[in-house]
Amino acid sequence: MIYTIHIPDNDERISFAAKVGKLFDHYNEYIPKRSHGLYQCDIGIQATVTNKQLKQVLGLIKRRGYSYSKHES
C-alpha cells in the first residue's frame, strides 16, 4: 500500500518524514520517481508497519491537518 501525504510547506515535508521515520524500527528514505501514475514527491519512506504504527502515522497526519490519498501498489 502506498500513501501520499499532501503537505503544502516544503520544509515541513522533511520534518514530517523525520518524525514518521522515528515510529519505525527499520525504514528506507528515498526520492520517489513518477510511477503507477503518481507524481514525484520530495521524499518517500518505505517500511513494513504494524497496524499500531499505521494508526500512529494517520493520527499524526490528522493532528497536523494534512490530507492523504491511498494507492494500491
Side-chain angles (χ1 to χ4, degrees), residues 10-47:
N10 289 340
D11 293 333
E12 184 61 25
R13 292 174 190 159
I14 303 302
S15 171
F16 184 79
K19 286 189 183 263
V20 168
K22 290 180 182 179
L23 298 174
F24 308 132
D25 297 327
H26 296 82
Y27 69 97
N28 296 316
E29 286 184 4
Y30 64 97
I31 304 297
K33 296 181 180 173
R34 186 177 174 136
S35 62
H36 307 292
L38 302 175
Y39 293 101
Q40 182 175 354
C41 58
D42 296 334
I43 190 168
I45 294 178
Q46 181 180 31

Side-chain angles (χ1 to χ4, degrees), residues 5 7 9-10 12 18 20-21 25-26 37 39 44 47-48 50-52 56 62 68-69 71:
I5 303 165
I7 304 171
D9 182 84
N10 289 340
E12 184 61 25
V20 168
D25 297 327
H26 296 82
Y39 293 101
T48 300
T50 65
N51 282 334
K52 179 181 176 182
Q56 288 174 318
K62 184 177 179 180
Y68 69 94
S69 51
H71 313 275

